[in-house]
Amino acid sequence: GYRLHWKIRDKAGRVICKPDICYPGKKIAIFVHGCFWHQHAGCQDGRIPQSNSSYWVPKLSRNKERDTEHLTQLKADGWGVLVVWECETRDDCSLRFRLHDFLVQ
């Protein structure tokens, strides 16, 4: 079965990340990224605020860096990884097909 926010650990026992949905037995991790917090490129919701940019730019940049690190580590460890963007959840039919294709492979 699946687990929500399951802690995936590396070989040394350190937590790599906690995907939103995880199938530990099948080594499948699904992340649902908010377009703003994870800076979805080309998405209207992924824009950096103009006010207080000295705070937002480093914070949101670090989120993107961390995402890349997590995905790279998981793939290197043999995990199947899917990222679903917040804006993609608005189209139920497309999302259903995408999840099915990913989980059935």
Side-chain angles (χ1 to χ4, degrees):
Y2 71 91
R3 301 285 185 265
L4 300 177
H5 310 289
W6 182 264
K7 293 178 183 174
I8 298 177
R9 299 177 187 275
D10 63 12
K11 290 176 177 68
R14 295 180 300 256
V15 174
I16 298 172
C17 61
K18 295 190 300 185
D20 297 291
I21 302 167
C22 182
Y23 291 85
K26 297 180 180 182
K27 292 185 88 170
I28 291 176
I30 301 172
F31 294 88
V32 182
H33 283 343
C35 294
F36 172 73
W37 293 107
H38 298 269
Q39 292 295 284
H40 187 196
C43 178
Q44 183 177 353
D45 297 332
R47 290 177 285 153
I48 296 176
Q50 292 180 351
S51 63
N52 203 9
S53 61
S54 62
Y55 170 77
W56 286 111
V57 169
K59 177 168 183 53
L60 297 175
S61 294
R62 179 61 189 132
N63 286 352
K64 286 182 70 169
E65 290 171 16
R66 190 178 315 113
D67 292 341
T68 301
E69 292 167 8
H70 291 164
L71 297 179
T72 302
Q73 179 70 44
L74 288 174
K75 289 177 182 178
D77 289 347
W79 284 78
V81 180
L82 176 68
V83 174
V84 176
W85 290 98
E86 174 185 13
C87 63
E88 294 173 332
T89 65
R90 296 179 190 133
D91 184 351
D92 288 349
C93 186
S94 176
L95 179 60
R96 222 176 278 132
F97 280 117
R98 188 165 172 220
L99 287 169
H100 179 268
D101 288 346
F102 176 72
L103 293 172
V104 173
Q105 56 177 317

